[in-house]
Amino acid sequence: MKQRKVPMRKDIVTGEMAPKKQLVRIVRNQEQEVSIDPTGKQSGRGAYISLDVAIAKKAKQERTFDHTFGVKIDDQFYDDLIAYVDHQQARRELFDND
C-alpha cells in the first residue's frame, strides 16, 4: 500500500517545519480580524504555531502575530491562544498515549 504524504507547515515562532496536525492555524480575515482556526479551513491569511504553551507565550512576548499580519492585536487574543494551546496539549497527552 502506498504511504501518504504528510502535509508540513512552518511554525512562525520557531521557524521549524512540523506536521500540520501538530500545529494550530491562526487566521486574519478580510475585516482584519485575527482568530484561532481549529478546523484549518477558514478563509483568510493563515499562519501556524506549535501546540506548545512555551511557544505560545513566546509569541505573546514577541507579539509575533502583530508583525505577521500587520495589525494591532490585543493581549486577550494571546491569552486565549495560550489557553487553547494548553487545552490541546493536555488532550494530546491524554488521548495519544495508547
Side-chain angles (χ1 to χ4, degrees), residues 30-77:
Q30 288 184 332
E31 289 79 38
Q32 306 302 315
E33 298 165 338
V34 177
S35 61
I36 299 169
D37 180 12
T39 63
K41 296 180 184 193
Q42 289 181 5
S43 63
R45 168 86 169 88
Y48 292 85
I49 184 172
S50 294
L51 288 172
D52 185 346
V53 175
I55 293 174
K57 287 181 180 177
K58 185 176 178 184
K60 179 180 180 180
Q61 180 185 355
E62 296 176 355
R63 307 215 48 95
T64 304
F65 294 107
D66 291 34
H67 303 297
T68 301
F69 294 131
V71 293
K72 175 83 173 93
I73 302 171
D74 61 335
D75 284 338
Q76 183 61 45
F77 168 78

